[in-house]
PDB file of all heavy atoms in Angstrom:
ATOM      1  N   ILE U 167     109.546  97.711 104.798  1.00 76.00           N
ATOM      2  CA  ILE U 167     110.601  97.729 103.779  1.00 76.00           C
ATOM      3  C   ILE U 167     111.673  98.747 104.129  1.00 76.00           C
ATOM      4  O   ILE U 167     112.876  98.487 103.979  1.00 76.00           O
ATOM      5  CB  ILE U 167     109.999  98.017 102.387  1.00 76.00           C
ATOM      6  CG1 ILE U 167     109.176  96.817 101.918  1.00 76.00           C
ATOM      7  CG2 ILE U 167     111.102  98.331 101.367  1.00 76.00           C
ATOM      8  CD1 ILE U 167     108.445  97.040 100.603  1.00 76.00           C
ATOM      9  N   VAL U 168     111.248  99.925 104.606  1.00 77.00           N
ATOM     10  CA  VAL U 168     112.216 100.954 105.014  1.00 77.00           C
ATOM     11  C   VAL U 168     113.094 100.437 106.141  1.00 77.00           C
ATOM     12  O   VAL U 168     114.328 100.592 106.125  1.00 77.00           O
ATOM     13  CB  VAL U 168     111.492 102.250 105.436  1.00 77.00           C
ATOM     14  CG1 VAL U 168     112.483 103.237 106.053  1.00 77.00           C
ATOM     15  CG2 VAL U 168     110.800 102.898 104.238  1.00 77.00           C
ATOM     16  N   ILE U 169     112.469  99.786 107.130  1.00 84.00           N
ATOM     17  CA  ILE U 169     113.229  99.226 108.255  1.00 84.00           C
ATOM     18  C   ILE U 169     114.197  98.155 107.755  1.00 84.00           C
ATOM     19  O   ILE U 169     115.372  98.111 108.143  1.00 84.00           O
ATOM     20  CB  ILE U 169     112.271  98.638 109.325  1.00 84.00           C
ATOM     21  CG1 ILE U 169     111.469  99.758 109.992  1.00 84.00           C
ATOM     22  CG2 ILE U 169     113.049  97.840 110.370  1.00 84.00           C
ATOM     23  CD1 ILE U 169     110.377  99.262 110.924  1.00 84.00           C
ATOM     24  N   GLY U 170     113.710  97.278 106.866  1.00 82.00           N
ATOM     25  CA  GLY U 170     114.568  96.237 106.307  1.00 82.00           C
ATOM     26  C   GLY U 170     115.744  96.805 105.539  1.00 82.00           C
ATOM     27  O   GLY U 170     116.868  96.291 105.615  1.00 82.00           O
ATOM     28  N   THR U 171     115.503  97.897 104.814  1.00 78.00           N
ATOM     29  CA  THR U 171     116.577  98.533 104.051  1.00 78.00           C
ATOM     30  C   THR U 171     117.639  99.126 104.970  1.00 78.00           C
ATOM     31  O   THR U 171     118.841  98.930 104.759  1.00 78.00           O
ATOM     32  CB  THR U 171     116.001  99.654 103.158  1.00 78.00           C
ATOM     33  OG1 THR U 171     115.043  99.089 102.269  1.00 78.00           O
ATOM     34  CG2 THR U 171     117.104 100.320 102.349  1.00 78.00           C
ATOM     35  N   VAL U 172     117.184  99.852 105.994  1.00 81.00           N
ATOM     36  CA  VAL U 172     118.131 100.480 106.932  1.00 81.00           C
ATOM     37  C   VAL U 172     118.940  99.418 107.667  1.00 81.00           C
ATOM     38  O   VAL U 172     120.170  99.527 107.798  1.00 81.00           O
ATOM     39  CB  VAL U 172     117.378 101.390 107.926  1.00 81.00           C
ATOM     40  CG1 VAL U 172     118.343 101.916 108.996  1.00 81.00           C
ATOM     41  CG2 VAL U 172     116.726 102.555 107.201  1.00 81.00           C
ATOM     42  N   LEU U 173     118.261  98.378 108.149  1.00 86.00           N
ATOM     43  CA  LEU U 173     118.969  97.308 108.857  1.00 86.00           C
ATOM     44  C   LEU U 173     119.955  96.601 107.932  1.00 86.00           C
ATOM     45  O   LEU U 173     121.091  96.289 108.329  1.00 86.00           O
ATOM     46  CB  LEU U 173     117.960  96.301 109.417  1.00 86.00           C
ATOM     47  CG  LEU U 173     117.131  96.751 110.619  1.00 86.00           C
ATOM     48  CD1 LEU U 173     116.135  95.675 111.020  1.00 86.00           C
ATOM     49  CD2 LEU U 173     118.033  97.098 111.804  1.00 86.00           C
ATOM     50  N   GLY U 174     119.520  96.340 106.695  1.00 82.00           N
ATOM     51  CA  GLY U 174     120.406  95.691 105.736  1.00 82.00           C
ATOM     52  C   GLY U 174     121.634  96.535 105.435  1.00 82.00           C
ATOM     53  O   GLY U 174     122.750  96.018 105.317  1.00 82.00           O
ATOM     54  N   LEU U 175     121.412  97.856 105.316  1.00 79.00           N
ATOM     55  CA  LEU U 175     122.522  98.780 105.068  1.00 79.00           C
ATOM     56  C   LEU U 175     123.529  98.743 106.212  1.00 79.00           C
ATOM     57  O   LEU U 175     124.746  98.669 105.998  1.00 79.00           O
ATOM     58  CB  LEU U 175     121.971 100.201 104.885  1.00 79.00           C
ATOM     59  CG  LEU U 175     122.955 101.307 104.531  1.00 79.00           C
ATOM     60  CD1 LEU U 175     123.572 101.056 103.167  1.00 79.00           C
ATOM     61  CD2 LEU U 175     122.253 102.664 104.537  1.00 79.00           C
ATOM     62  N   LEU U 176     123.025  98.753 107.449  1.00 85.00           N
ATOM     63  CA  LEU U 176     123.901  98.758 108.619  1.00 85.00           C
ATOM     64  C   LEU U 176     124.606  97.414 108.800  1.00 85.00           C
ATOM     65  O   LEU U 176     125.823  97.363 109.017  1.00 85.00           O
ATOM     66  CB  LEU U 176     123.085  99.094 109.870  1.00 85.00           C
ATOM     67  CG  LEU U 176     122.480 100.502 109.925  1.00 85.00           C
ATOM     68  CD1 LEU U 176     121.603 100.668 111.161  1.00 85.00           C
ATOM     69  CD2 LEU U 176     123.580 101.560 109.913  1.00 85.00           C
ATOM     70  N   VAL U 177     123.834  96.308 108.689  1.00 85.00           N
ATOM     71  CA  VAL U 177     124.423  94.978 108.895  1.00 85.00           C
ATOM     72  C   VAL U 177     125.467  94.683 107.818  1.00 85.00           C
ATOM     73  O   VAL U 177     126.568  94.195 108.118  1.00 85.00           O
ATOM     74  CB  VAL U 177     123.321  93.895 108.891  1.00 85.00           C
ATOM     75  CG1 VAL U 177     123.947  92.499 108.890  1.00 85.00           C
ATOM     76  CG2 VAL U 177     122.400  94.063 110.095  1.00 85.00           C
ATOM     77  N   GLY U 178     125.141  94.998 106.574  1.00 81.00           N
ATOM     78  CA  GLY U 178     126.087  94.750 105.490  1.00 81.00           C
ATOM     79  C   GLY U 178     127.357  95.565 105.633  1.00 81.00           C
ATOM     80  O   GLY U 178     128.467  95.070 105.364  1.00 81.00           O
ATOM     81  N   THR U 179     127.212  96.822 106.076  1.00 80.00           N
ATOM     82  CA  THR U 179     128.380  97.686 106.267  1.00 80.00           C
ATOM     83  C   THR U 179     129.288  97.150 107.361  1.00 80.00           C
ATOM     84  O   THR U 179     130.521  97.167 107.237  1.00 80.00           O
ATOM     85  CB  THR U 179     127.929  99.118 106.612  1.00 80.00           C
ATOM     86  OG1 THR U 179     127.095  99.627 105.558  1.00 80.00           O
ATOM     87  CG2 THR U 179     129.123 100.040 106.796  1.00 80.00           C
ATOM     88  N   VAL U 180     128.671  96.651 108.443  1.00 84.00           N
ATOM     89  CA  VAL U 180     129.448  96.140 109.578  1.00 84.00           C
ATOM     90  C   VAL U 180     130.125  94.814 109.228  1.00 84.00           C
ATOM     91  O   VAL U 180     131.319  94.606 109.488  1.00 84.00           O
ATOM     92  CB  VAL U 180     128.542  95.970 110.820  1.00 84.00           C
ATOM     93  CG1 VAL U 180     129.303  95.251 111.930  1.00 84.00           C
ATOM     94  CG2 VAL U 180     128.056  97.322 111.304  1.00 84.00           C
ATOM     95  N   ILE U 185     128.994  88.565 104.170  1.00 78.00           N
ATOM     96  CA  ILE U 185     127.550  88.332 104.313  1.00 78.00           C
ATOM     97  C   ILE U 185     126.879  88.052 102.970  1.00 78.00           C
ATOM     98  O   ILE U 185     125.659  87.855 102.899  1.00 78.00           O
ATOM     99  CB  ILE U 185     126.879  89.552 104.996  1.00 78.00           C
ATOM    100  CG1 ILE U 185     125.560  89.143 105.661  1.00 78.00           C
ATOM    101  CG2 ILE U 185     126.669  90.692 103.984  1.00 78.00           C
ATOM    102  CD1 ILE U 185     124.956  90.207 106.539  1.00 78.00           C
ATOM    103  N   PRO U 350     110.076  92.790 102.897  1.00 84.00           N
ATOM    104  CA  PRO U 350     111.043  93.299 103.889  1.00 84.00           C
ATOM    105  C   PRO U 350     112.243  92.372 104.082  1.00 84.00           C
ATOM    106  O   PRO U 350     113.385  92.841 104.190  1.00 84.00           O
ATOM    107  CB  PRO U 350     110.204  93.402 105.177  1.00 84.00           C
ATOM    108  CG  PRO U 350     108.806  93.570 104.692  1.00 84.00           C
ATOM    109  CD  PRO U 350     108.715  92.723 103.448  1.00 84.00           C
ATOM    110  N   ILE U 353     114.321  92.397 100.680  1.00 80.00           N
ATOM    111  CA  ILE U 353     115.062  93.656 100.533  1.00 80.00           C
ATOM    112  C   ILE U 353     116.199  93.729 101.555  1.00 80.00           C
ATOM    113  O   ILE U 353     117.301  94.204 101.251  1.00 80.00           O
ATOM    114  CB  ILE U 353     114.120  94.857 100.695  1.00 80.00           C
ATOM    115  CG1 ILE U 353     113.036  94.847  99.603  1.00 80.00           C
ATOM    116  CG2 ILE U 353     114.890  96.164 100.659  1.00 80.00           C
ATOM    117  CD1 ILE U 353     113.560  94.901  98.193  1.00 80.00           C
ATOM    118  N   PHE U 354     115.948  93.255 102.776  1.00 85.00           N
ATOM    119  CA  PHE U 354     116.988  93.249 103.814  1.00 85.00           C
ATOM    120  C   PHE U 354     118.202  92.450 103.354  1.00 85.00           C
ATOM    121  O   PHE U 354     119.351  92.911 103.436  1.00 85.00           O
ATOM    122  CB  PHE U 354     116.428  92.670 105.113  1.00 85.00           C
ATOM    123  CG  PHE U 354     117.486  92.310 106.127  1.00 85.00           C
ATOM    124  CD1 PHE U 354     118.123  93.296 106.882  1.00 85.00           C
ATOM    125  CD2 PHE U 354     117.857  90.980 106.318  1.00 85.00           C
ATOM    126  CE1 PHE U 354     119.115  92.962 107.804  1.00 85.00           C
ATOM    127  CE2 PHE U 354     118.836  90.642 107.243  1.00 85.00           C
ATOM    128  CZ  PHE U 354     119.466  91.637 107.985  1.00 85.00           C
ATOM    129  N   THR U 355     117.970  91.234 102.846  1.00 85.00           N
ATOM    130  CA  THR U 355     119.104  90.388 102.454  1.00 85.00           C
ATOM    131  C   THR U 355     119.836  90.950 101.234  1.00 85.00           C
ATOM    132  O   THR U 355     121.065  90.889 101.162  1.00 85.00           O
ATOM    133  CB  THR U 355     118.630  88.956 102.156  1.00 85.00           C
ATOM    134  OG1 THR U 355     117.644  88.983 101.109  1.00 85.00           O
ATOM    135  CG2 THR U 355     118.017  88.323 103.391  1.00 85.00           C
ATOM    136  N   LEU U 356     119.096  91.503 100.293  1.00 79.00           N
ATOM    137  CA  LEU U 356     119.734  92.090  99.112  1.00 79.00           C
ATOM    138  C   LEU U 356     120.536  93.339  99.479  1.00 79.00           C
ATOM    139  O   LEU U 356     121.618  93.587  98.950  1.00 79.00           O
ATOM    140  CB  LEU U 356     118.678  92.420  98.056  1.00 79.00           C
ATOM    141  CG  LEU U 356     118.035  91.209  97.357  1.00 79.00           C
ATOM    142  CD1 LEU U 356     116.835  91.642  96.533  1.00 79.00           C
ATOM    143  CD2 LEU U 356     119.054  90.491  96.481  1.00 79.00           C
ATOM    144  N   MET U 357     119.990  94.133 100.403  1.00 78.00           N
ATOM    145  CA  MET U 357     120.709  95.333 100.830  1.00 78.00           C
ATOM    146  C   MET U 357     121.955  94.959 101.636  1.00 78.00           C
ATOM    147  O   MET U 357     122.977  95.661 101.560  1.00 78.00           O
ATOM    148  CB  MET U 357     119.796  96.251 101.646  1.00 78.00           C
ATOM    149  CG  MET U 357     120.410  97.607 101.965  1.00 78.00           C
ATOM    150  SD  MET U 357     121.048  98.481 100.508  1.00 78.00           S
ATOM    151  CE  MET U 357     119.555  99.224  99.885  1.00 78.00           C
ATOM    152  N   CYS U 358     121.886  93.851 102.388  1.00 82.00           N
ATOM    153  CA  CYS U 358     123.092  93.349 103.064  1.00 82.00           C
ATOM    154  C   CYS U 358     124.178  93.052 102.037  1.00 82.00           C
ATOM    155  O   CYS U 358     125.360  93.385 102.236  1.00 82.00           O
ATOM    156  CB  CYS U 358     122.762  92.068 103.849  1.00 82.00           C
ATOM    157  SG  CYS U 358     121.909  92.333 105.414  1.00 82.00           S
ATOM    158  N   TRP U 359     123.775  92.416 100.918  1.00 76.00           N
ATOM    159  CA  TRP U 359     124.736  92.089  99.857  1.00 76.00           C
ATOM    160  C   TRP U 359     125.326  93.353  99.242  1.00 76.00           C
ATOM    161  O   TRP U 359     126.540  93.471  99.069  1.00 76.00           O
ATOM    162  CB  TRP U 359     124.026  91.247  98.796  1.00 76.00           C
ATOM    163  CG  TRP U 359     124.779  91.140  97.507  1.00 76.00           C
ATOM    164  CD1 TRP U 359     125.963  90.494  97.290  1.00 76.00           C
ATOM    165  CD2 TRP U 359     124.409  91.713  96.249  1.00 76.00           C
ATOM    166  NE1 TRP U 359     126.352  90.614  95.979  1.00 76.00           N
ATOM    167  CE2 TRP U 359     125.409  91.355  95.312  1.00 76.00           C
ATOM    168  CE3 TRP U 359     123.321  92.464  95.813  1.00 76.00           C
ATOM    169  CZ2 TRP U 359     125.346  91.754  93.972  1.00 76.00           C
ATOM    170  CZ3 TRP U 359     123.244  92.850  94.484  1.00 76.00           C
ATOM    171  CH2 TRP U 359     124.267  92.502  93.583  1.00 76.00           C
ATOM    172  N   VAL U 360     124.455  94.333  98.951  1.00 72.00           N
ATOM    173  CA  VAL U 360     124.920  95.584  98.326  1.00 72.00           C
ATOM    174  C   VAL U 360     125.857  96.347  99.257  1.00 72.00           C
ATOM    175  O   VAL U 360     126.973  96.730  98.879  1.00 72.00           O
ATOM    176  CB  VAL U 360     123.721  96.473  97.931  1.00 72.00           C
ATOM    177  CG1 VAL U 360     124.209  97.852  97.483  1.00 72.00           C
ATOM    178  CG2 VAL U 360     122.914  95.824  96.824  1.00 72.00           C
ATOM    179  N   SER U 361     125.396  96.582 100.495  1.00 74.00           N
ATOM    180  CA  SER U 361     126.204  97.379 101.423  1.00 74.00           C
ATOM    181  C   SER U 361     127.431  96.606 101.891  1.00 74.00           C
ATOM    182  O   SER U 361     128.441  97.205 102.283  1.00 74.00           O
ATOM    183  CB  SER U 361     125.359  97.814 102.630  1.00 74.00           C
ATOM    184  OG  SER U 361     124.839  96.687 103.311  1.00 74.00           O
ATOM    185  N   GLY U 362     127.368  95.261 101.843  1.00 72.00           N
ATOM    186  CA  GLY U 362     128.545  94.476 102.180  1.00 72.00           C
ATOM    187  C   GLY U 362     129.686  94.740 101.213  1.00 72.00           C
ATOM    188  O   GLY U 362     130.861  94.669 101.592  1.00 72.00           O
TER     189      GLY U 362
END
Side-chain angles (χ1 to χ4, degrees):
I167 290 175
V168 172
I169 293 172
T171 301
V172 174
L173 287 177
L175 184 64
L176 295 175
V177 171
T179 302
V180 172
I185 203 170
I353 298 301
F354 166 76
T355 58
L356 289 169
M357 188 52 83
C358 282
W359 165 68
V360 171
S361 59

